[in-house]
Amino acid sequence: MSEPILKVEKLNRFFGALHATKDVSFEVKEGEIRAIIGPNGAGKSTLMDLITNRTKPSSGKVIFRGMDITGMEPNKIVHKGMTKCFQISKLFGNLTVYENVQIARIEMNKKTFSLFPVRDTYLKQEVAQYLSFVGLEDKMNEVAAYLSYGDQRRLDIAIALAMDPKLLILDEPAAGVAREEAYTLMQLIRNLAEKRNMTIIFIEHDMDIVFNYADVISVLRDGELIASGTPEEIKNNTYVQEAYLGGGDV
Ligand code: ADP
Ligand code: MG
């Protein structure tokens, strides 16, 4: 068995008196597609922010590819191979699709190969390739702000890919897009994961998508990880059913 790509050890986060994540521990294997589910306010987004250190943990550890990255500067974590998607607010709306990915790629190259400036033609090919992965090659010269919401999500995935992630984290990939587009996006993410040997963690409310695309599902409730297992195991877990799946608050 290979080492897990991610190990989360007893992560706690308090917001004042509110205990948003409680001793959360879990491991994710390389290449796995992991879903995080749970009612609103369960602590899912907080947990992802703790893993990427956008929020500092009150206690606990995050081990990524064997490195203790707890407290590491978020940008540095990106360079270690962990990227979080769907920060559409971070797109440069007045720039083209191409330019948005180009900026991300230049930023990555600057830090990785600072002695070897990237040749322009090489960069162009790279950017075009990331855009073709997500099906945006024909919209390269469109201004990002004028893209449909679904295409903005695709662009966000292309930007994330330009960071060359080993672990890609997505917070509600299906939110706000039509059901068919949500499935297409998830299929795209799964194909990319397979092709690039990427590990995926995604938060999702849509149980059809979760049961269709996750290898392993972890269930959070009130900041606590109450179960982890295969879709089959989670479906048949009576505690989870009572606590969440049958609860209506999905
Ligand atoms: P989820 O993503 O599962 O819906 P969140 O992680 O967003 O849940 O929130 C978990 C709990 O932590 C909620 O009660 C939320 O109000 C609280 N919370 C999240 N972020 C903050 C913050 N920055 N300050 C105070 N409370 C917060
Ligand atoms: Mg959330």
Side-chain angles (χ1 to χ4, degrees):
M1 283 293 290
S2 60
E3 271 286 288
I5 189 166
L6 180 74
K7 275 200 252 185
V8 171
E9 295 175 9
K10 291 188 170 255
L11 271 186
N12 283 287
R13 171 68 203 203
F14 291 90
F15 293 112
L18 180 87
H19 202 169
T21 64
K22 298 175 185 161
D23 271 339
V24 175
S25 300
F26 64 96
E27 294 186 356
V28 178
K29 282 195 281 193
E30 188 161 18
E32 184 180 306
I33 301 187
R34 169 75 59 112
I36 310 282
I37 67 170
N40 278 328
K44 304 179 297 296
S45 295
T46 301
L47 180 59
M48 295 308 118
D49 286 346
L50 293 173
I51 292 171
T52 52
N53 201 32
R54 281 177 182 78
T55 299
K56 299 234 172 303
S58 305
S59 66
K61 257 193 201 178
V62 182
I63 312 288
F64 177 56
R65 302 170 83 190
M67 288 170 280
D68 187 343
I69 60 160
T70 325
M72 190 181 275
E73 198 207 315
N75 260 339
K76 230 173 159 183
I77 293 179
V78 172
H79 280 84
K80 299 285 180 204
M82 187 194 297
T83 299
K84 188 165 169 251
C85 234
F86 300 124
Q87 294 159 305
I88 284 171
S89 55
K90 289 202 172 162
L91 294 180
F92 295 103
N94 53 341
L95 298 185
T96 65
V97 167
Y98 178 87
E99 287 163 340
N100 267 280
V101 179
Q102 186 187 35
I103 286 172
R105 196 61 205 154
I106 289 173
E107 200 51 40
M108 267 322 266
N109 279 323
K110 222 169 39 193
K111 296 198 174 128
T112 322
F113 312 107
S114 56
L115 292 175
F116 308 102
V118 190
R119 289 219 333 274
D120 205 39
T121 45
Y122 176 63
L123 184 65
K124 268 189 190 142
Q125 283 169 10
E126 273 193 333
V127 172
Q129 198 190 17
Y130 292 122
L131 288 173
S132 75
F133 283 150
V134 301
L136 278 182
E137 65 273 41
D138 294 340
K139 296 186 178 166
M140 243 198 237
N141 298 316
E142 288 187 20
V143 173
Y146 297 139
L147 293 177
S148 69
Y149 190 62
D151 279 347
Q152 289 189 354
R153 299 202 140 205
R154 285 168 190 271
L155 177 54
D156 191 62
I157 294 173
I159 290 171
L161 292 176
M163 312 284 185
D164 214 5
K166 297 279 175 278
L167 169 61
L168 184 63
I169 297 179
L170 307 126
D171 197 338
E172 302 198 30
V177 292
R179 178 148 267 259
E180 203 149 309
E181 173 72 355
Y183 272 86
T184 310
L185 274 175
M186 281 312 297
Q187 190 58 50
L188 171 78
I189 290 161
R190 181 149 84 182
N191 293 346
L192 285 169
E194 273 168 27
K195 245 191 259 169
R196 303 170 67 89
N197 193 29
M198 252 181 346
T199 308
I200 307 284
I201 302 180
F202 72 107
I203 296 176
E204 189 48 65
H205 280 286
D206 184 321
M207 286 305 128
D208 284 341
I209 286 186
V210 168
F211 287 127
N212 264 298
Y213 290 100
D215 298 319
V216 183
I217 301 170
S218 292
V219 188
L220 269 183
R221 195 186 65 162
D222 295 333
E224 240 176 305
L225 195 72
I226 60 168
S228 282
T230 62
E232 214 45 43
E233 285 165 348
I234 294 299
K235 254 185 224 169
N236 297 323
N237 182 320
T238 46
Y239 181 52
V240 172
Q241 279 174 8
E242 279 164 24
Y244 179 49
L245 294 175
D249 180 21
V250 177

